[in-house]
Amino acid sequence: MRFIIGSVVNIASTRALQSEENTEAYSATKGGIVSLTHALAVSLGPEIKVNCVSPGWINATNDTLSQSDHQQHISERVGNTDDIAEVIELLMCTQSGFITG
């Protein structure tokens, strides 16, 4: 039986798959992070889990946003930094050993 000895969590973006005008370099680098994540998971697993979080719009400055801003999301709200931290915590814990790649 093999045990997980490590975890890597990369941060990409929804821009890897949903580009906007004039975001070529940003979108390409985020797409590269997604591909790198998968390749590392294949190479390092199962001892080391490798995952990627691709957040959409995150209100990192706690600005006041309009209702129409929030309505752009299925969850009906813009994300915040705690949302991302909680996902990373989940991916790094030993209970999520099946989640990799």
Side-chain angles (χ1 to χ4, degrees), residues 47-94:
E47 292 87 3
I48 298 175
K49 302 184 310 174
V50 185
N51 289 291
C52 182
V53 177
S54 294
W57 184 358
I58 301 300
N59 185 4
T61 59
N62 295 319
D63 291 340
T64 301
L65 303 173
S66 71
Q67 190 59 31
S68 64
D69 292 333
H70 292 288
Q71 293 300 315
Q72 295 180 43
H73 304 277
I74 295 170
S75 62
E76 296 186 352
R77 70 176 181 84
V78 172
N80 60 57
T81 55
D82 288 341
D83 293 321
I84 304 310
E86 289 169 4
V87 170
I88 293 169
E89 184 177 33
L90 169 70
L91 292 171
M92 293 185 73
C93 77
T94 57

